C-alpha cells in the first residue's frame, strides 16, 4: 500500500494519543498508591488508640523515574500539538492547491471559449464570402499558429485593467500550463508516450514555442507527433537530441564533416523504406531552437551540393569543381593533383576528353588496369553511384555504400528499397552461400601464401616481377578446372563433391573419410572448417594440395587412390564418383 503524507500524519497523531493515555494511566496508578499508603497509616493509628484529628495525605517524594515520566509527558504533549498544527497546515495547503487548480481550469476554459469564438467568427466570414469550407478542417488551418499562440498567451486577468497605451505596451504573460496530478502522469492512457524515453508528455503543435513560454516547474514535457506512416510520438528533449546527434555528432556546434551525408533524417522507429522522405522542415522548426535551425539549413545546403572527390588514389579528398567554367582543369587543394573536370580523373596528357572516354576502362591507365585486375581477383564490387570499391566479407548481398546508395553486391544493380530485392530481372538471391565460401577459401589461400613467402630464397624473383629487387605481392596462378572426365570408359566421374551430402554414397567406415567428416577438418592440410558445405567447397576448389576421392571415400595419397582404382570393387558395380585434383 502506498504511504502518503496524510497517512503519516494520522499515524503520528495516533501514536501521540496512545502515549498520552499511557502517561495518564501511570499518573492515576501513582495517585492510587499514595491513597493506599495514607489509608494504611490511618488504620495503624486507630489500632494504636490514636485518633488523628486531620487526615494528611502522605507525600512519597519525587524520584528520578517520576521526573523522567514528567518530562516524557511534556514532550508527548508538545509532539501532539505539533502534529495537529502540521495537519492543519497541510489541510490549508491542500485547499490552496485545489483553489489554484480550479482557477487554472477556469482560465483554460475561458481561453478555449475565446479560441472557439475566434474560430467561429473566421468560419462565418469565410462562409459569408462564399469560400469552400471543405479544406477548413481545424482551427489551425483557419486561424494560423500565430493567432492561436496570441490567444493562448493572453492574460485574462488584465481585462479592464489599465488604459490605452499602458495596457497595449504591457508584456504578455507566460503561457498557461495546466497543473498535472501525479496519478494522471502515471496513467499511460491520458498522455502519449515518447518512443525513445518511454515517458508521457503533453502533445502540442509547437513544442519549442510551448517550452519557451511555459511557467511551471512541475510540468510534463511537451512533444509532438511525426508525420510518418505510423504517427510515432516523441517528447521535445528526445526528438531534439536525436536530430542534433545527426547534425552535430561531436556536440561542438560545428556540424558534421564535409564527407558526411545527413539528410534525410528518418524517423527513429520507421524503416527508411517506409518513410524515405524523413523529417520535414516544418517539423524541425517546431522542435529545434534558432541555433539548431541554423545547423539544419547549413547541413541541408551542404547535402544539396554535388560532391566530388580527388581521383588521386592517395588523396580522395573532397574538392569543389566548377562545372560551368570553360577550363576543364582543376587543382586538388590537398595533394595538388591536376584533375580533369569532365572525366573526373587525374589529368590525361596527350589525350582529349573524347579520346580518353573512348578508351576501354582497362586501357585508360596502368593504375586502372592494376586496380581492375585486383577487383576481379578479389571479387570486389564498385558502387554504381560513387564508384567506391566495396568488399563483402560477411552478410547478405544487400550493400549500403558510404554515399547511402544501396545496391546488389552480386550483380551491381541498384537495390529496390520498397520491394526489398535487387532491381535486376530476375532478381538475385539475398544470400549467396557459394560466394561467401569462395571468399573464405580465398582468405585461406592468402594465409598459405603468407606462410610460404618467408620460406622462399632471400632474393628470389617472380617471373612477372621484372627488375624488382625484392619479393612483392605474387598473384595466385590462374585457376583452370580439371577435366572431370579424364577417362570416361573407366567408371563414372563426379564434377563436384555433392555426393558428400548423400549418406548412401558417403562411406563413413573408411577411417580417413570418417575423420574428415566428423571433425570438419581437411586431413590434407589440417585446415579447420566451419560446416560440411565449407568443407565441400574447400576440397573442390583448393589449389595448394591434391584431393583424391572415389566410391564415397577420400584417399590421403595418390598411390592409395591408384591402388583402389586397380582393385576390383563391387559396392556400386564399378568405381563411381571419382574426383581428383592435382
Amino acid at each position: 500500500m502506498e504511504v502518503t503524507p496524510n497517512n503519516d500524519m494520522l499515524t503520528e497523531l495516533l501514536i501521540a494519543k496512545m502515549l498520552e493515555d499511557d502517561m495518564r494511566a501511570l499518573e492515576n496508578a501513582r495517585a492510587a498508591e499514595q491513597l493506599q499508603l495514607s489509608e494504611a497509616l490511618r488504620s495503624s493509628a486507630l489500632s494504636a488508640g490514636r485518633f488523628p484529628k486531620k487526615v494528611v495525605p502522605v507525600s512519597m517524594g519525587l524520584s528520578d523515574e517520576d521526573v523522567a515520566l514528567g518530562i516524557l509527558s511534556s514532550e508527548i504533549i508538545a509532539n501532539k500539538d505539533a502534529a495537529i498544527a502540521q495537519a492543519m497546515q497541510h489541510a490549508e495547503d491542500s485547499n490552496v492547491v485545489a483553489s489554484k487548480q480550479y482557477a487554472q481550469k477556469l482560465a483554460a476554459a475561458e481561453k478555449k471559449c475565446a479560441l472557439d469564438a475566434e474560430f467561429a467568427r473566421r468560419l462565418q466570414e469565410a462562409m459569408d464570402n462564399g469560400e469552400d469550407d471543405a479544406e477548413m478542417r481545424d482551427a489551425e488551418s483557419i486561424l494560423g499558429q500565430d493567432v492561436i499562440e496570441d490567444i493562448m498567451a493572453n492574460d485574462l486577468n488584465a481585462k479592464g485593467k489599465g488604459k490605452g497605451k499602458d495596457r497595449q505596451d504591457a508584456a504578455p504573460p507566460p503561457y498557461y500550463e495546466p497543473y498535472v496530478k501525479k496519478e494522471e502522469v502515471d496513467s499511460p492512457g491520458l498522455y502519449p508516450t515518447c518512443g525513445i524515453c518511454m515517458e508521457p508528455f503533453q502533445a502540442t503543435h509547437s513544442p519549442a514555442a510551448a517550452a519557451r513560454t511555459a511557467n511551471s516547474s512541475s510540468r510534463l514535457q511537451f512533444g509532438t507527433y511525426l508525420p510518418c506512416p505510423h504517427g510515432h510520438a516523441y517528447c521535445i528533449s528526445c526528438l531534439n537530441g536525436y536530430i542534433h546527434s545527426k547534425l552535430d555528432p561531436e556536440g561542438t556546434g560545428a556540424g558534421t564533416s564535409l564527407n558526411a551525408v545527413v539528410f534525410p533524417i528518418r524517423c527513429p522507429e520507421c524503416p527508411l523504406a517506409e518513410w524515405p522522405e524523413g523529417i520535414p522542415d516544418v517539423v524541425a522548426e517546431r522542435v529545434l531552437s534558432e541555433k539548431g535551425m541554423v545547423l539544419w539549413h547549413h547541413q541541408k545546403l551542404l547535402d544539396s551540393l554535388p560532391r566530388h572527390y580527388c581521383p588521386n588514389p592517395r588523396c580522395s579528398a573532397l574538392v569543389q569543381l566548377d562545372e560551368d567554367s570553360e577550363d576543364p582543369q582543376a587543382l586538388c587543394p590537398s595533394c595538388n593533383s591536376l584533375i580533369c573536370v569532365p572525366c573526373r580523373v587525374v589529368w590525361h596528357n596527350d589525350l582529349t576528353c573524347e579520346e580518353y572516354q573512348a578508351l576501354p576502362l582497362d586501357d585508360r591507365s596502368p593504375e586502372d588496369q592494376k586496380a581492375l585486375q585486383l577487383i576481379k581477383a578479389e571479387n570486389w564490387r564498385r558502387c554504381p553511384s560513387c564508384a567506391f570499391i566495396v568488399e563483402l566479407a560477411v552478410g547478405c548481398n544487400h550493400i549500403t555504400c558510404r554515399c547511402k546508395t544501396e545496391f546488389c553486391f552480386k550483380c551491381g544493380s541498384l537495390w529496390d528499397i520498397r520491394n526489398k530485392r535487387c532491381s535486376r530481372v530476375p532478381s538475385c538471391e539475398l544470400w549467396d552461400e557459394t560466394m561467401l565460401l569462395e571468399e573464405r577459401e580465398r582468405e585461406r589461400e592468402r594465409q598459405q601464401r603468407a606462410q610460404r613467402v618467408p620460406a622462399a630464397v632471400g632474393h628470389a624473383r617472380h617471373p612477372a616481377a621484372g627488375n624488382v629487387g625484392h619479393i612483392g605481392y605474387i598473384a595466385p596462378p590462374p585457376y583452370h578446372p580439371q577435366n572431370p572426365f579424364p577417362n570416361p570408359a573407366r567408371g563414372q566421374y563426379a564434377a563436384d563433391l555433392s555426393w558428400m551430402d548423400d549418406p548412401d554414397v558417403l562411406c563413413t567406415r573408411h577411417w580417413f573419410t570418417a575423420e574428415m567428416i566428423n571433425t570438419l577438418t581437411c586431413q590434407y592440410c589440417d585446415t579447420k572448417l566451419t560446416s560440411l558445405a565449407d568443407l565441400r567447397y574447400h576440397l573442390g576448389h583448393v589449389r595448394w594440395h591434391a584431393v583424391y576421392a572415389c566410391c564415397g571415400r577420400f584417399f590421403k595419397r595418390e598411390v592409395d587412390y591408384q591402388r583402389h582404382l586397380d582393385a576390383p570393387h563391387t559396392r556400386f558395380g564399378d568405381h563411381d564418383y571419382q574426383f581428383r585434383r592435382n
Side-chain angles (χ1 to χ4, degrees):
M1 184 180 70
E2 184 180 3
V3 179
T4 62
N6 290 333
N7 294 335
D8 293 339
M9 197 172 301
L10 293 176
T11 303
E12 292 180 1
L13 290 174
L14 180 60
I15 293 175
K17 180 64 176 175
M18 295 175 63
L19 291 175
E20 186 179 4
D21 293 341
D22 292 341
M23 293 301 301
R24 187 175 290 106
L26 291 176
E27 291 177 358
N28 294 335
R30 181 69 175 173
E33 290 179 358
Q34 292 181 355
L35 290 177
Q36 290 178 359
L37 181 57
S38 300
E39 186 64 24
L41 293 176
R42 181 173 175 277
S43 300
S44 176
L46 290 175
S47 60
R50 299 192 301 273
F51 298 95
K53 298 180 180 179
K54 185 178 180 181
V55 179
V56 181
V58 179
S59 177
M60 300 176 62
L62 294 178
S63 62
D64 294 339
E65 182 180 359
D66 296 334
V67 175
L69 290 175
I71 296 174
L72 179 59
S73 178
S74 301
E75 291 181 356
I76 291 174
I77 295 174
N79 291 336
K80 179 182 178 182
D81 295 340
I84 294 174
Q86 186 178 2
M88 295 176 64
Q89 182 64 35
H90 184 269
E92 184 67 21
D93 294 341
S94 299
N95 293 332
V96 172
V97 171
S99 301
K100 182 179 179 180
Q101 292 179 5
Y102 185 71
Q104 290 176 343
K105 289 181 180 179
L106 290 178
E110 290 186 9
K111 291 183 179 181
K112 181 64 169 56
C113 292
L115 184 62
D116 292 342
E118 182 66 20
F119 174 65
R121 188 181 66 81
R122 295 287 184 90
L123 188 60
Q124 184 64 39
E125 290 180 358
M127 294 177 65
D128 294 341
N129 296 331
E131 298 180 3
D132 186 10
D133 58 351
E135 299 179 356
M136 301 177 182
R137 301 177 180 177
D138 52 11
E140 183 179 351
S141 61
I142 297 180
L143 301 179
Q145 186 61 29
D146 295 336
V147 176
I148 295 177
E149 291 182 357
D150 291 340
I151 294 176
M152 298 304 294
N154 187 23
D155 188 1
L156 300 176
N157 295 324
K159 292 182 178 181
K161 296 181 180 180
K163 295 183 180 180
K165 183 177 178 180
D166 295 338
R167 185 175 61 186
Q168 295 176 0
D169 295 341
Y175 177 77
Y176 162 74
E177 178 190 0
Y179 178 83
V180 181
K181 296 182 179 179
K182 183 178 184 302
E183 55 268 17
E184 293 181 355
V185 174
D186 296 337
S187 178
L190 298 179
Y191 295 94
T193 302
C194 176
I196 298 178
C197 66
M198 307 308 293
E199 293 291 337
F201 66 89
Q202 184 177 350
T204 183
H205 176 77
S206 179
R212 286 194 301 268
T213 57
N215 62 355
S216 176
S217 60
S218 60
R219 62 179 176 84
L220 282 176
Q221 287 200 86
F222 293 101
T224 187
Y225 291 90
L226 292 183
C228 58
H230 298 282
H232 293 124
Y234 302 98
C235 66
I236 183 175
S237 299
C238 295
L239 190 57
N240 204 328
Y242 171 73
I243 297 177
H244 272 86
S245 68
K246 303 294 184 181
L247 300 176
D248 188 17
E250 301 296 332
T252 58
T256 60
S257 62
L258 296 177
N259 295 329
V261 178
V262 175
F263 288 92
I265 300 179
R266 64 183 185 88
C267 171
E269 296 179 83
C270 288
L272 184 61
E274 295 186 8
W275 198 36
E277 297 82 7
I279 300 176
D281 294 346
V282 293
V283 176
E285 292 173 356
R286 302 172 189 170
V287 176
L288 299 178
S289 60
E290 294 182 1
K291 185 178 180 181
M293 287 306 300
V294 171
L295 285 176
W296 176 279
H297 293 300
H298 176 71
Q299 186 62 43
K300 203 159 192 178
L301 177 62
L302 291 179
D303 289 357
S304 64
L305 297 177
R307 295 175 179 267
H308 305 287
Y309 299 90
C310 176
N312 185 359
R314 298 181 180 86
C315 178
S316 300
L318 184 66
V319 295
Q320 183 176 0
L321 302 181
D322 187 5
E323 298 182 355
D324 298 332
S325 176
E326 296 180 356
D327 188 5
Q329 294 182 345
L331 187 65
C332 176
S334 180
C335 65
N336 295 325
S337 297
L338 198 60
I339 304 172
C340 177
V341 177
C343 300
R344 300 288 193 274
V345 295
V346 178
W347 181 253
H348 40 75
N349 295 320
D350 302 328
L351 290 175
T352 64
C353 293
E354 292 77 10
E355 294 173 347
Y356 179 82
Q357 294 177 6
L359 294 175
L361 292 176
D362 297 349
D363 298 335
R364 291 188 176 182
S365 68
E367 291 80 8
D368 290 342
Q369 186 176 3
K370 292 180 181 179
L372 290 174
Q373 290 177 355
L374 181 61
I375 291 174
K376 293 179 181 179
E378 298 294 340
N379 194 23
W380 294 340
R381 180 70 64 180
R382 282 184 179 272
C383 173
S385 296
C386 66
F388 188 74
I389 301 175
V390 179
E391 177 187 10
L392 179 62
V394 293
C396 62
N397 291 325
H398 181 196
I399 301 298
T400 301
C401 182
R402 66 176 185 177
C403 67
K404 302 298 180 69
T405 301
E406 301 182 32
F407 62 94
C408 175
F409 185 85
K410 188 173 184 180
C411 65
S413 302
L414 293 176
W415 193 263
D416 190 347
I417 300 178
R418 295 191 179 276
N419 296 326
K420 299 180 180 180
R421 64 183 182 183
C422 171
S423 59
R424 175 176 168 266
V425 180
S427 61
C428 303
E429 295 292 337
L430 182 61
W431 292 91
D432 191 349
E433 184 180 10
T434 303
M435 185 171 59
L436 297 178
L437 294 176
E438 180 182 355
E439 174 62 26
R440 192 173 298 169
E441 186 63 25
R442 190 180 294 108
E443 179 64 26
R444 296 191 188 102
E445 290 186 6
R446 285 194 288 265
Q447 294 177 0
Q448 289 291 331
R449 288 197 303 269
Q451 294 176 1
R452 291 198 301 267
V453 168
V457 181
H459 295 283
R461 297 181 182 178
H462 191 271
N467 295 326
V468 180
H470 63 279
I471 300 177
Y473 173 78
I474 302 177
Y479 169 61
H480 301 288
Q482 300 288 333
N483 183 10
F485 304 102
N487 188 7
R490 188 174 184 183
Q492 177 184 358
Y493 280 76
D496 53 22
L497 298 174
S498 58
W499 51 265
M500 293 176 61
D501 296 326
D502 191 352
D504 297 332
V505 177
L506 188 65
C507 183
T508 56
R509 297 190 303 274
H510 188 251
W511 70 272
F512 186 75
T513 305
E515 186 69 17
M516 188 179 300
I517 299 299
N518 294 334
T519 61
L520 293 179
T521 304
C522 177
Q523 298 298 318
Y524 298 101
C525 60
D526 295 331
T527 300
K528 186 68 176 177
L529 289 310
T530 59
S531 62
L532 185 60
D534 194 12
L535 176 62
R536 180 174 60 251
Y537 191 89
H538 169 73
L539 295 174
H541 297 80
V542 65
R543 290 190 285 184
W544 65 81
H545 64 73
V547 178
Y548 308 102
C550 182
C551 299
R553 303 178 183 180
F554 290 96
F555 299 92
K556 179 72 173 178
R557 300 174 301 175
E558 183 179 8
V559 61
D560 299 332
Y561 175 71
Q562 291 295 339
R563 187 183 300 113
H564 171 78
L565 294 179
D566 294 337
H569 193 70
T570 59
R571 184 184 180 196
F572 299 105
D574 202 348
H575 293 285
D576 293 337
Y577 304 103
Q578 296 184 37
F579 184 87
R580 177 172 180 171
R581 289 181 60 85
N582 293 326

